């Protein structure tokens, strides 16, 4: 009797399992469900194991979309400044006095390209803010959408700043490597020999010493501020700051870093602005090209700090619509 009960229970359990399996098979064979959806978990597991995306969705994703504009801009600037410096520092002496100075390309020429690109990229971080303020002054409201190119530019400001910090860091490393060059050691021996020939006991030049001391000090301070801006751009750090703290660091400290970089370039130039020997083939030296855009951005920022412009801009950005004279004339007509 007990054995027959066990047999009947096992048969009932077997029928129940068969029924559940049949329902699952019917669900998989239901019309309207594509095959790739039925076995999507299997495909996902396969591609996860192979570290490859699904073939049909590979072209839908873009790699680092916000980095496209900054990287292209940095590459174009680097190529232009490198060509400009190459023609002035390498080709000019080779043609005019038949002097072979191609050894300057790996260190000296590259180290002239890096600071120019760095300070230009840093100026491009804050230039769109100046242009946005101009558009808001023009339309008298903050609710009008900016042009698409300006929107794309403003969304890439973080990437511009990080690239600026990268170029500045590499520039600092190249500058520290100057005494390690073999060419510098040969020149140092030549300078010492020339000093002995001229019977000079002391070759100290006061203004040149002050220039280098101030120049290096400003460069270190500017690099430290750029490092602070780069660290606060990390999401885990920026999320721990309030909006006012983040805005203060990225805006106020950023403009201070741009100011220090500009003064750093001006002190490096010192009195070379009026030296006609610096204008080879009637072209200005690279430090003049480097400070044009930063001085323009800083000047526009100082103008926006005037009370007449600052108060009006605050009203616009607080939500008030400022009616311009053109709008009044149009409404009257």
């Amino acid at each position: 009797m007990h054995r027959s009960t066990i047999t009947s229970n096992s048969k009932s359990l077997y029928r129940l399992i068969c029924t559940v399996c049949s329902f699952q098979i019917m669900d998989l064979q239901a019309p309207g469900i594509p095959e790739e959806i039925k076995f999507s978990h299997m495909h996902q597991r396969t591609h996860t194991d192979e570290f490859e995306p699904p073939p049909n969705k590979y072209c839908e994703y873009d790699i680092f979309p916000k980095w496209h504009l900054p990287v292209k801009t940095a590459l174009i600037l680097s190529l232009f400044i490198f060509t400009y410096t190459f023609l002035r520092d390498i080709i000019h002496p080779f043609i005019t006095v038949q002097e072979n100075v191609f050894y300057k390309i790996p260190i000296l020429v590259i180290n002239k390209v890096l600071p120019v690109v760095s300070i230009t990229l840093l100026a491009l971080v804050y230039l769109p803010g100046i242009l946005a303020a101009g558009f808001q002054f023009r339309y008298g409201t903050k609710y009008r959408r900016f042009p698409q190119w300006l929107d794309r530019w403003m969304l890439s400001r973080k990437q511009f700043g990080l690239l600026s910090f990268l170029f500045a860091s590499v520039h600092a490393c190249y500058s520290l490597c100057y005494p390690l060059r073999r060419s510098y050691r040969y020149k140092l021996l030549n300078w010492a020999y020339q000093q002995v020939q001229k019977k000079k006991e002391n070759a100290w030049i006061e203004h040149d010493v002050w220039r280098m001391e101030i120049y290096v000090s400003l460069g270190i301070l500017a690099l430290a501020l750029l490092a602070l801006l780069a660290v606060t751009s990390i999401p885990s750090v920026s999320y721990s700051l309030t909006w006012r703290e983040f805005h203060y660091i990225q805006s106020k400290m950023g403009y201070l870093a741009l100011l220090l970089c500009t003064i750093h370039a001006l002190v490096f130039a010192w009195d070379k602005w009026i030296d006609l020997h610096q204008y080879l083939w009637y072209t200005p030296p690279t430090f003049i090209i480097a400070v044009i855009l930063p001085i323009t951005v800083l000047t526009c920022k100082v103008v926006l700090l005037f009370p007449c412009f600052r108060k009006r801009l605050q009203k616009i950005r607080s939500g008030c619509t400022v009616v311009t004279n053109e709008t009044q004339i149009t409404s009257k007509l």
Side-chain angles (χ1 to χ4, degrees), residues 280-291:
L280 305 177
W281 281 336
Y282 304 100
T283 58
T286 53
F287 56 80
I288 294 181
I289 299 176
V291 298

Side-chain angles (χ1 to χ4, degrees), residues 62-269:
D62 200 0
I63 299 178
F64 306 118
K66 292 183 180 180
W67 285 89
H68 291 179
L69 179 62
V71 170
K72 290 178 182 178
T73 304
L75 290 177
I76 293 173
L77 283 173
S78 301
L79 181 61
F80 171 75
I81 300 299
F82 177 82
T83 306
Y84 186 83
T85 308
F86 178 77
L87 292 175
R88 283 175 47 86
D89 294 358
I90 307 299
I91 301 300
H92 180 269
F94 184 75
I95 293 178
T96 55
V97 294
Q98 286 77 41
E99 183 181 1
N100 185 358
V101 290
F102 284 89
Y103 70 90
K104 293 183 177 181
I105 295 177
I107 301 293
L108 295 178
V109 174
I110 297 299
N111 201 31
K112 284 189 176 182
V113 175
L114 294 172
V116 178
V117 177
S118 175
I119 194 173
T120 305
L121 292 176
L122 186 60
L124 291 177
V125 174
Y126 299 100
L127 181 59
I130 304 295
L131 298 178
F135 276 105
Q136 290 176 343
F137 278 128
R138 172 67 176 81
Y139 298 121
T141 179
K142 72 171 185 177
Y143 298 107
R144 183 154 182 172
R145 188 175 181 83
F146 295 132
Q148 186 176 1
W149 59 268
L150 185 57
D151 275 339
R152 184 185 176 190
W153 189 355
M154 295 185 71
L155 291 174
S156 301
R157 288 181 295 179
K158 173 182 175 181
Q159 286 71 26
F160 274 106
L162 292 175
L163 284 177
S164 175
F165 173 66
L166 174 63
F167 277 84
S169 301
V170 180
H171 166 59
C173 294
Y174 269 79
S175 300
L176 291 175
C177 292
Y178 270 14
L180 301 178
R181 295 177 299 130
R182 180 67 63 178
S183 59
Y184 179 81
R185 296 178 184 178
Y186 287 144
K187 284 189 175 182
L188 190 62
L189 291 175
N190 293 335
W191 293 335
Y193 179 73
Q194 293 172 4
Q195 182 178 344
V196 171
Q197 280 189 330
K198 294 179 181 179
K199 297 181 179 180
K200 286 185 177 181
E201 295 181 359
N202 190 1
W204 184 278
I205 302 176
E206 187 72 20
H207 70 86
D208 197 31
V209 172
W210 276 102
R211 180 182 72 89
M212 287 301 298
E213 297 293 327
I214 299 173
Y215 162 71
V216 174
S217 177
L218 289 174
I220 294 173
L221 292 176
L223 183 61
L225 287 179
L226 288 177
L228 177 62
L229 295 174
V231 169
T232 53
S233 299
I234 301 174
S236 59
V237 177
S238 60
Y239 292 156
S240 63
L241 302 174
T242 63
W243 183 86
R244 293 187 62 184
E245 293 171 345
F246 182 78
H247 179 265
Y248 178 81
I249 294 175
Q250 294 293 329
S251 179
K252 302 297 188 298
M253 305 297 286
Y255 276 106
L256 179 59
L258 182 60
L259 178 62
L260 289 177
C261 291
T262 306
I263 300 176
H264 172 72
L266 294 175
V267 173
F268 171 79

